[in-house]
Amino acid sequence: MILCDIGNTLLHFYKEGRVWACAPQNLATHKEALQGEVFYISVNPESTNALLEFCSSATDLAPKMQLESKYEGLGVDRIAACLGLCGKSGVVVDAGSAITIDLMDHGTHLGGVILPGLASYAHAFKSISKALDLPLNLRVDLKSLPNATADALGYGVLQSVLLTLQHLIGERRAYFTGGDGKFLANFFSNGLYDGLLVFHGMLAVLGA
Amino acid sequence: MILCDIGNTLLHFYKEGRVWACAPQNLATHKEALQGEVFYISVNPESTNALLEFCSSATDLAPKMQLESKYEGLGVDRIAACLGLCGKSGVVVDAGSAITIDLMDHGTHLGGVILPGLASYAHAFKSISKALDLPLNLRVDLKSLPNATADALGYGVLQSVLLTLQHLIGERRAYFTGGDGKFLANFFSNGLYDGLLVFHGMLAVLGA
């Protein structure tokens, strides 16, 4: 059984505890690995079509991804990550192209917040002015005031994201996933990184 | 005497207490208003050239914009806004294409932070995914958890910007300027909006 989480940028695969990622245009090179029953969720119709070209029998798990929530239009990847908590309470932080923050209370979704992903901030600064087209210094010391542009950008991004996370997480347990999840989890003593959270949610739905 | 603050997007003019803004491609329609001695500061070389086409004798005030600071590469518009405090201590928040936050202590610049401007966040979300291409709801209630995408985006942007501002402002007096300055100042009991802060700094340098 192969699981596929089709994101805004990449397709993420899971097979027997092993994971790999692939851009939609590079799927042909992963064709061998896609032998078997494939279950997917997707937030990107173009990438879904790319997958279906190679695995026409792949099954969309979306209809089975049910979460108790008042949220209108909650993305299926967020639902999967929340289901990955398997009934535990806490805050799910998926830090990818966007950073989504969802609060879960014993299997019920209480609401959620969206921030740009860390790379998206850099892209936003670049669009504003050539003077801000610099690599963000995300290793900046948040205890002192920046005195250079790369530090001022890094401080703005990191501090604003961390303060928002702290505000929403509070004393709760936080479960980080996504490309920048590991980096962000390090700032929280009550934070855990689980790169497989979305797949755990898909496996839970499949009863696997 | 006419003052001009050339920003990333628009040229902002000041004449005898009156202000107006103009896109560089529309300068011709403002030609009549540009009769007289013109002093400018600029962070946008293309727009500077556009101004100089109509006012070839306009004087760049940048060499006179001196601020005591360890910050490397502080933009001349930020220097002008800080000088606009005329020696008072406090935090200068210029909320335009970017949001710059600079701490001033009796005429000395202590450091600064940069965030994307509010419109830039919306643009960033749009670039991430079609599903996030929605108008941000910046009137969202920050006391309850969002349960719709426009609210989740608005909450993320507003809460992250406000928490960062609160963290940097603390008990200090804050001086807001720029297109979104008035909106943001409303969230701070110790916040003042002064749309002319940059021009006050230019006038201070001119001894006017």
Side-chain angles (χ1 to χ4, degrees):
Chain A
M1 184 177 68
I2 298 160
L3 304 182
C4 180
D5 167 23
I6 306 177
N8 292 311
T9 317
L10 297 174
L11 295 92
H12 300 267
F13 292 95
Y14 171 97
K15 187 179 185 178
E16 294 164 10
R18 201 164 60 84
V19 291
W20 69 98
C22 174
Q25 65 274 22
N26 297 335
L27 270 171
T29 60
H30 292 254
K31 205 176 165 183
E32 293 301 307
L34 298 180
Q35 304 300 317
E37 203 174 8
V38 177
F39 296 94
Y40 71 88
I41 58 170
S42 173
V43 295
N44 187 327
E46 289 85 0
S47 296
T48 307
N49 289 337
L51 176 71
L52 290 171
E53 266 188 46
F54 293 99
C55 313
S56 56
S57 65
T59 306
D60 186 1
L61 266 189
K64 294 199 175 179
M65 308 304 285
Q66 299 293 333
L67 185 67
E68 201 185 319
S69 174
K70 287 181 189 157
Y71 197 105
E72 294 165 33
L74 191 63
V76 70
D77 49 347
R78 288 168 71 185
I79 293 178
C82 288
L83 291 174
L85 260 56
C86 300
K88 294 194 293 285
S89 297
V91 181
V92 175
V93 181
D94 191 344
S97 327
I99 301 171
T100 55
I101 308 151
D102 288 289
L103 272 75
M104 289 294 294
D105 181 35
H106 296 96
T108 300
H109 178 256
L110 303 177
V113 171
I114 309 174
L115 282 169
L118 297 183
S120 177
Y121 277 95
H123 191 77
F125 286 129
K126 184 179 172 179
S127 303
I128 294 168
S129 160
K130 278 179 198 163
L132 304 185
D133 184 10
L134 291 172
L136 309 182
N137 176 13
L138 293 174
R139 305 284 169 188
V140 66
D141 175 13
L142 294 179
K143 292 198 183 93
S144 59
L145 278 172
N147 272 306
T149 305
D151 292 351
L153 298 172
Y155 184 110
V157 172
L158 191 57
Q159 187 70 281
S160 64
V161 169
L162 292 180
L163 287 171
T164 307
L165 289 174
Q166 281 163 13
H167 181 81
L168 290 166
I169 292 169
E171 299 299 312
R172 295 177 187 84
R173 180 63 63 107
Y175 301 84
F176 289 79
T177 193
D180 293 315
K182 204 168 195 168
F183 171 69
L184 291 174
N186 281 330
F187 292 91
F188 293 84
S189 58
N190 48 345
L192 284 175
Y193 172 70
D194 181 353
L196 302 182
L197 207 52
V198 169
F199 294 124
H200 289 158
M202 294 174 75
L203 288 170
V205 160
L206 286 163
Chain B
M1 184 177 69
I2 299 160
L3 304 182
C4 180
D5 166 23
I6 306 176
N8 292 312
T9 317
L10 298 174
L11 296 91
H12 299 267
F13 292 94
Y14 172 97
K15 187 180 186 179
E16 295 164 7
R18 201 164 59 84
V19 291
W20 68 98
C22 174
Q25 64 272 23
N26 297 335
L27 270 172
T29 60
H30 291 255
K31 205 177 165 184
E32 293 301 308
L34 298 179
Q35 303 302 315
E37 204 172 9
V38 177
F39 295 95
Y40 70 87
I41 58 170
S42 174
V43 295
N44 187 326
E46 288 86 1
S47 296
T48 308
N49 289 336
L51 177 72
L52 290 171
E53 266 187 46
F54 294 99
C55 313
S56 56
S57 65
T59 306
D60 185 1
L61 266 188
K64 294 199 175 179
M65 308 303 287
Q66 300 293 333
L67 185 68
E68 201 184 319
S69 175
K70 287 181 189 157
Y71 196 107
E72 292 164 33
L74 191 63
V76 70
D77 49 346
R78 288 168 70 184
I79 293 178
C82 288
L83 291 173
L85 259 57
C86 299
K88 293 193 293 284
S89 296
V91 181
V92 175
V93 181
D94 191 345
S97 327
I99 301 172
T100 55
I101 308 151
D102 288 288
L103 272 76
M104 290 293 294
D105 181 36
H106 297 96
T108 299
H109 178 257
L110 302 178
V113 172
I114 309 174
L115 283 169
L118 297 183
S120 176
Y121 277 95
H123 190 79
F125 286 129
K126 185 179 170 177
S127 303
I128 294 169
S129 160
K130 278 179 198 162
L132 304 184
D133 184 10
L134 292 172
L136 310 181
N137 177 14
L138 293 174
R139 305 284 168 188
V140 65
D141 175 13
L142 294 179
K143 292 196 184 95
S144 59
L145 278 173
N147 273 307
T149 305
D151 292 351
L153 299 172
Y155 184 110
V157 172
L158 191 58
Q159 187 70 280
S160 64
V161 169
L162 292 180
L163 287 171
T164 307
L165 289 173
Q166 281 163 13
H167 181 81
L168 291 166
I169 291 169
E171 298 299 312
R172 296 177 187 84
R173 180 62 63 105
Y175 301 84
F176 289 80
T177 193
D180 293 314
K182 204 167 195 168
F183 171 69
L184 291 174
N186 281 330
F187 292 90
F188 293 84
S189 58
N190 48 345
L192 285 174
Y193 172 69
D194 181 354
L196 302 182
L197 207 53
V198 169
F199 294 124
H200 289 158
M202 295 173 75
L203 288 169
V205 160
L206 286 163

